[in-house]
Amino acid sequence: MKKIKIESELEVFEDFSELPQEIQRLMEAAFEARDSAYAPYSEFHVGTALLLSNGKVIKGSNQENAAYPSGLCAERTAIYYAGANFPDETLEVMAISATAKHKPTTTPIPPCGACRQAIAEYEVKQKQPVVIYFMGASGKIFKSDSLSNLLPFLFTQEYL
Ligand code: THU
């Protein structure tokens, strides 16, 4: 028996002002996207802004449903919009911000497992990593240079 160790490396920015300017703009688009969240059940508002290779910024927010599992996270709303409308573009950078209606969030809030799997699919498809920045409403921001830092043992098409 042998053991294997898996390591991830992320960058930590102390706050919004430490981000590069173009990323501040992208994160601001994620803040705006949060305002269009339809989240009457969780009251947890997530916004994402996705920069494509053609320079367009796609915004997504979580969209809930009375039949709970029918709702969709902010990240996948944006990713699937990009896939459907700009199938030939690369997903370059994703900025994510989340906050609860009655509880401002101050720690970085990562994309859920299902969204990580969706991002993984596009990294494999485009043969290029997606850079991901994520935060709460304020406070530290984590940057991952690739989805694979956030999801070890990717399940991909190579197994099919
Ligand atoms: N949510 C997202 O939009 N993204 C995530 O990565 C985690 C969770 C949404 C789904 C649901 O509308 C609410 O946050 C509470 O789980």
Side-chain angles (χ1 to χ4, degrees), residues 60-77:
S61 57
N62 50 327
Q63 300 296 317
E64 297 186 349
N65 193 286
Y68 290 3
S70 303
L72 195 65
C73 290
E75 296 87 333
R76 278 175 289 161
T77 304

PDB file of all heavy atoms in Angstrom, residues 60-77:
ATOM      1  N   GLY A  60     -24.202  35.750 -14.578  1.00  0.00           N
ATOM      2  CA  GLY A  60     -25.151  34.710 -14.167  1.00  0.00           C
ATOM      3  C   GLY A  60     -25.484  34.877 -12.702  1.00  0.00           C
ATOM      4  O   GLY A  60     -24.675  35.404 -11.925  1.00  0.00           O
ATOM      5  N   SER A  61     -26.680  34.452 -12.342  1.00  0.00           N
ATOM      6  CA  SER A  61     -27.074  34.486 -10.928  1.00  0.00           C
ATOM      7  C   SER A  61     -27.892  33.236 -10.646  1.00  0.00           C
ATOM      8  O   SER A  61     -28.409  32.595 -11.579  1.00  0.00           O
ATOM      9  CB  SER A  61     -27.888  35.739 -10.630  1.00  0.00           C
ATOM     10  OG  SER A  61     -29.023  35.801 -11.463  1.00  0.00           O
ATOM     11  N   ASN A  62     -28.011  32.897  -9.363  1.00  0.00           N
ATOM     12  CA  ASN A  62     -28.771  31.684  -9.054  1.00  0.00           C
ATOM     13  C   ASN A  62     -30.266  31.911  -9.260  1.00  0.00           C
ATOM     14  O   ASN A  62     -30.798  32.978  -8.952  1.00  0.00           O
ATOM     15  CB  ASN A  62     -28.461  31.140  -7.652  1.00  0.00           C
ATOM     16  CG  ASN A  62     -28.547  32.177  -6.548  1.00  0.00           C
ATOM     17  OD1 ASN A  62     -28.254  33.349  -6.747  1.00  0.00           O
ATOM     18  ND2 ASN A  62     -28.948  31.739  -5.377  1.00  0.00           N
ATOM     19  N   GLN A  63     -30.908  30.918  -9.805  1.00  0.00           N
ATOM     20  CA  GLN A  63     -32.329  30.963 -10.148  1.00  0.00           C
ATOM     21  C   GLN A  63     -33.001  29.778  -9.472  1.00  0.00           C
ATOM     22  O   GLN A  63     -32.759  28.630  -9.845  1.00  0.00           O
ATOM     23  CB  GLN A  63     -32.494  30.885 -11.672  1.00  0.00           C
ATOM     24  CG  GLN A  63     -31.813  32.020 -12.430  1.00  0.00           C
ATOM     25  CD  GLN A  63     -32.408  33.397 -12.127  1.00  0.00           C
ATOM     26  OE1 GLN A  63     -33.627  33.557 -12.060  1.00  0.00           O
ATOM     27  NE2 GLN A  63     -31.545  34.390 -11.923  1.00  0.00           N
ATOM     28  N   GLU A  64     -33.796  30.088  -8.457  1.00  0.00           N
ATOM     29  CA  GLU A  64     -34.394  29.012  -7.659  1.00  0.00           C
ATOM     30  C   GLU A  64     -35.785  28.648  -8.157  1.00  0.00           C
ATOM     31  O   GLU A  64     -36.346  29.318  -9.030  1.00  0.00           O
ATOM     32  CB  GLU A  64     -34.402  29.426  -6.178  1.00  0.00           C
ATOM     33  CG  GLU A  64     -32.985  29.605  -5.658  1.00  0.00           C
ATOM     34  CD  GLU A  64     -32.891  29.868  -4.167  1.00  0.00           C
ATOM     35  OE1 GLU A  64     -33.931  30.131  -3.524  1.00  0.00           O
ATOM     36  OE2 GLU A  64     -31.748  29.818  -3.648  1.00  0.00           O
ATOM     37  N   ASN A  65     -36.317  27.586  -7.580  1.00  0.00           N
ATOM     38  CA  ASN A  65     -37.612  27.073  -8.016  1.00  0.00           C
ATOM     39  C   ASN A  65     -38.314  26.442  -6.819  1.00  0.00           C
ATOM     40  O   ASN A  65     -37.647  25.865  -5.960  1.00  0.00           O
ATOM     41  CB  ASN A  65     -37.364  26.015  -9.113  1.00  0.00           C
ATOM     42  CG  ASN A  65     -38.634  25.663  -9.854  1.00  0.00           C
ATOM     43  OD1 ASN A  65     -39.501  24.967  -9.337  1.00  0.00           O
ATOM     44  ND2 ASN A  65     -38.751  26.157 -11.064  1.00  0.00           N
ATOM     45  N   ALA A  66     -39.649  26.544  -6.800  1.00  0.00           N
ATOM     46  CA  ALA A  66     -40.416  25.947  -5.705  1.00  0.00           C
ATOM     47  C   ALA A  66     -40.133  24.444  -5.614  1.00  0.00           C
ATOM     48  O   ALA A  66     -40.159  23.867  -4.526  1.00  0.00           O
ATOM     49  CB  ALA A  66     -41.896  26.203  -5.917  1.00  0.00           C
ATOM     50  N   ALA A  67     -39.878  23.834  -6.757  1.00  0.00           N
ATOM     51  CA  ALA A  67     -39.381  22.450  -6.763  1.00  0.00           C
ATOM     52  C   ALA A  67     -37.864  22.575  -6.677  1.00  0.00           C
ATOM     53  O   ALA A  67     -37.186  22.752  -7.695  1.00  0.00           O
ATOM     54  CB  ALA A  67     -39.822  21.749  -8.030  1.00  0.00           C
ATOM     55  N   TYR A  68     -37.336  22.574  -5.484  1.00  0.00           N
ATOM     56  CA  TYR A  68     -35.960  23.005  -5.218  1.00  0.00           C
ATOM     57  C   TYR A  68     -34.898  22.526  -6.218  1.00  0.00           C
ATOM     58  O   TYR A  68     -34.092  23.320  -6.691  1.00  0.00           O
ATOM     59  CB  TYR A  68     -35.536  22.613  -3.799  1.00  0.00           C
ATOM     60  CG  TYR A  68     -36.229  23.385  -2.686  1.00  0.00           C
ATOM     61  CD1 TYR A  68     -37.221  24.336  -2.943  1.00  0.00           C
ATOM     62  CD2 TYR A  68     -35.902  23.135  -1.361  1.00  0.00           C
ATOM     63  CE1 TYR A  68     -37.861  25.019  -1.919  1.00  0.00           C
ATOM     64  CE2 TYR A  68     -36.537  23.823  -0.322  1.00  0.00           C
ATOM     65  CZ  TYR A  68     -37.512  24.764  -0.612  1.00  0.00           C
ATOM     66  OH  TYR A  68     -38.135  25.443   0.399  1.00  0.00           O
ATOM     67  N   PRO A  69     -34.847  21.230  -6.536  1.00  0.00           N
ATOM     68  CA  PRO A  69     -33.746  20.786  -7.425  1.00  0.00           C
ATOM     69  C   PRO A  69     -33.827  21.340  -8.842  1.00  0.00           C
ATOM     70  O   PRO A  69     -32.878  21.212  -9.607  1.00  0.00           O
ATOM     71  CB  PRO A  69     -33.883  19.250  -7.447  1.00  0.00           C
ATOM     72  CG  PRO A  69     -34.815  18.915  -6.331  1.00  0.00           C
ATOM     73  CD  PRO A  69     -35.687  20.111  -6.110  1.00  0.00           C
ATOM     74  N   SER A  70     -34.973  21.945  -9.191  1.00  0.00           N
ATOM     75  CA  SER A  70     -35.090  22.511 -10.537  1.00  0.00           C
ATOM     76  C   SER A  70     -34.348  23.832 -10.678  1.00  0.00           C
ATOM     77  O   SER A  70     -34.185  24.336 -11.792  1.00  0.00           O
ATOM     78  CB  SER A  70     -36.560  22.741 -10.901  1.00  0.00           C
ATOM     79  OG  SER A  70     -37.267  21.540 -10.805  1.00  0.00           O
ATOM     80  N   GLY A  71     -33.926  24.409  -9.575  1.00  0.00           N
ATOM     81  CA  GLY A  71     -33.171  25.669  -9.639  1.00  0.00           C
ATOM     82  C   GLY A  71     -31.764  25.439 -10.172  1.00  0.00           C
ATOM     83  O   GLY A  71     -31.324  24.297 -10.350  1.00  0.00           O
ATOM     84  N   LEU A  72     -31.073  26.542 -10.432  1.00  0.00           N
ATOM     85  CA  LEU A  72     -29.707  26.418 -10.956  1.00  0.00           C
ATOM     86  C   LEU A  72     -28.793  27.458 -10.314  1.00  0.00           C
ATOM     87  O   LEU A  72     -29.207  28.593 -10.068  1.00  0.00           O
ATOM     88  CB  LEU A  72     -29.701  26.597 -12.479  1.00  0.00           C
ATOM     89  CG  LEU A  72     -28.413  26.135 -13.191  1.00  0.00           C
ATOM     90  CD1 LEU A  72     -28.212  24.627 -13.054  1.00  0.00           C
ATOM     91  CD2 LEU A  72     -28.442  26.507 -14.668  1.00  0.00           C
ATOM     92  N   CYS A  73     -27.557  27.055 -10.083  1.00  0.00           N
ATOM     93  CA  CYS A  73     -26.558  27.947  -9.486  1.00  0.00           C
ATOM     94  C   CYS A  73     -26.148  29.041 -10.482  1.00  0.00           C
ATOM     95  O   CYS A  73     -26.255  28.872 -11.702  1.00  0.00           O
ATOM     96  CB  CYS A  73     -25.299  27.168  -9.131  1.00  0.00           C
ATOM     97  SG  CYS A  73     -25.491  26.031  -7.771  1.00  0.00           S
ATOM     98  N   ALA A  74     -25.596  30.111  -9.922  1.00  0.00           N
ATOM     99  CA  ALA A  74     -25.135  31.245 -10.720  1.00  0.00           C
ATOM    100  C   ALA A  74     -24.067  30.822 -11.739  1.00  0.00           C
ATOM    101  O   ALA A  74     -24.096  31.243 -12.902  1.00  0.00           O
ATOM    102  CB  ALA A  74     -24.547  32.299  -9.786  1.00  0.00           C
ATOM    103  N   GLU A  75     -23.136  30.027 -11.291  1.00  0.00           N
ATOM    104  CA  GLU A  75     -21.998  29.668 -12.158  1.00  0.00           C
ATOM    105  C   GLU A  75     -22.465  28.915 -13.390  1.00  0.00           C
ATOM    106  O   GLU A  75     -22.054  29.203 -14.509  1.00  0.00           O
ATOM    107  CB  GLU A  75     -20.993  28.798 -11.382  1.00  0.00           C
ATOM    108  CG  GLU A  75     -20.334  29.491 -10.203  1.00  0.00           C
ATOM    109  CD  GLU A  75     -21.116  29.414  -8.897  1.00  0.00           C
ATOM    110  OE1 GLU A  75     -22.357  29.295  -8.937  1.00  0.00           O
ATOM    111  OE2 GLU A  75     -20.479  29.470  -7.837  1.00  0.00           O
ATOM    112  N   ARG A  76     -23.365  27.929 -13.162  1.00  0.00           N
ATOM    113  CA  ARG A  76     -23.823  27.156 -14.328  1.00  0.00           C
ATOM    114  C   ARG A  76     -24.751  27.978 -15.210  1.00  0.00           C
ATOM    115  O   ARG A  76     -24.784  27.784 -16.427  1.00  0.00           O
ATOM    116  CB  ARG A  76     -24.481  25.846 -13.872  1.00  0.00           C
ATOM    117  CG  ARG A  76     -23.426  24.772 -13.578  1.00  0.00           C
ATOM    118  CD  ARG A  76     -24.040  23.527 -13.028  1.00  0.00           C
ATOM    119  NE  ARG A  76     -24.506  23.748 -11.668  1.00  0.00           N
ATOM    120  CZ  ARG A  76     -25.395  22.991 -11.043  1.00  0.00           C
ATOM    121  NH1 ARG A  76     -25.957  21.975 -11.678  1.00  0.00           N
ATOM    122  NH2 ARG A  76     -25.736  23.252  -9.788  1.00  0.00           N
ATOM    123  N   THR A  77     -25.504  28.910 -14.620  1.00  0.00           N
ATOM    124  CA  THR A  77     -26.342  29.794 -15.444  1.00  0.00           C
ATOM    125  C   THR A  77     -25.451  30.527 -16.454  1.00  0.00           C
ATOM    126  O   THR A  77     -25.760  30.600 -17.647  1.00  0.00           O
ATOM    127  CB  THR A  77     -27.077  30.812 -14.543  1.00  0.00           C
ATOM    128  OG1 THR A  77     -27.822  30.097 -13.574  1.00  0.00           O
ATOM    129  CG2 THR A  77     -28.020  31.675 -15.341  1.00  0.00           C
TER     130      THR A  77
END
